[in-house]
Amino acid sequence: MFLLSMCCLLAACGGTDPSDAAFPAVDLFEQPIPDAPDPADRAGAAAEYIECTNEISNGGWSHDFGTSGNASNPDGALDQFLGVDLFVLPDDGYVPVGRDTDRLLYTYSVDNTPKVAVIVAANSTDPNGGWTVETFATCDPAEYDPSIDDQLSVDIWLDSDGNRVPTSTLTSYRGAEHCGWESVTFLTVDDRQYIGDPRGMLTDTVWFDGDAALPADATDTGFHHDGRHLWISDDQAVAYIVGSDSVEAWPAPPSGDPVACA
């Protein structure tokens, strides 16, 4: 009776009604496995509702990201979760597609293929009967629609044939604002990090050459982004970002350990 009354209230307020018979009943009760190395295991039931060309890129439940997305209705909980920008997810385009008692399944799809799944659940710890994001699962961001690339906090590179490269293979992203590293770009190639630091924010860690000479033995990877091409030195110690009229040298951290903002 309580759930029915709450659902009627949600519908009256314009939010998605979890009891709407238009949403097919689906099984959303598979338990996530805390701290599992496989994101599909951490995502629980959400992992069952996406179709990835590559492996599942990320997934988790509220144990990982805290009570995120508390709201009076499911749509509001989803909006709040996305607004926190904890993960590399599309900002919008989510559609409610299934229900299971006090849970609602949303998916983001590309060409009718679901690439992100988010399960919103009635928050049993909220005395006011609110809603919160419980679990999510996502394919690699390279599988999102290219039209939303500018929404993402990571760059999507292309290979020599123009195919989008999974971020698990190659990506780049700006440094964190709270560390003052916005001018720094971190490039990850097959789990090896390179750093572009034109303003010398990390001079104690790496050097930077914005007018470098491309070594004769450097290898053209074929990867490119925004008109700039990626070459790698023979010893893999330096990435060269080659534009139409410039060559920048981005070194790997000397220690071999990735640099990260605390």
Side-chain angles (χ1 to χ4, degrees), residues 48 58-59 70 141 149 157 181-182 192 195 212 224 228 246 249:
E48 301 297 321
N58 203 351
N70 280 322
D149 282 357
W157 289 65
W181 290 0
E182 302 98 314
R192 187 177 184 91
I195 300 175
H224 56 98
R228 305 211 294 173
S246 65

Side-chain angles (χ1 to χ4, degrees), residues 26-32 44-45 49 100-103 119 134:
V26 293
D27 182 4
L28 302 179
F29 281 96
E30 181 178 341
Q31 293 296 310
Y49 295 97
D100 189 347
T101 313
D102 56 355
R103 289 173 171 83
I119 296 174
E134 184 176 62

Side-chain angles (χ1 to χ4, degrees), residues 108-146:
Y108 163 89
S109 297
V110 178
D111 295 331
N112 296 317
T113 302
K115 298 298 181 180
V116 181
V118 182
I119 296 174
V120 177
N123 188 353
S124 60
T125 64
D126 187 342
N128 297 316
W131 292 80
T132 187
V133 168
E134 184 176 62
T135 59
F136 81 98
T138 175
C139 299
D140 193 282
E143 297 186 37
Y144 300 164
D145 192 298

Side-chain angles (χ1 to χ4, degrees), residues 196-248:
D197 184 18
R199 296 187 181 177
M201 303 301 297
L202 303 175
T203 52
D204 292 340
T205 304
V206 294
W207 50 270
F208 173 83
D209 188 349
D211 187 23
L214 186 65
D217 60 359
T219 299
D220 183 358
T221 66
F223 298 134
H224 56 98
H225 175 67
D226 281 352
R228 305 211 294 173
H229 295 255
L230 173 63
W231 293 61
I232 301 290
S233 66
D234 186 56
D235 61 2
Q236 299 189 346
V238 182
Y240 293 92
I241 309 300
V242 181
S244 58
D245 57 0
S246 65
V247 177
E248 296 179 356

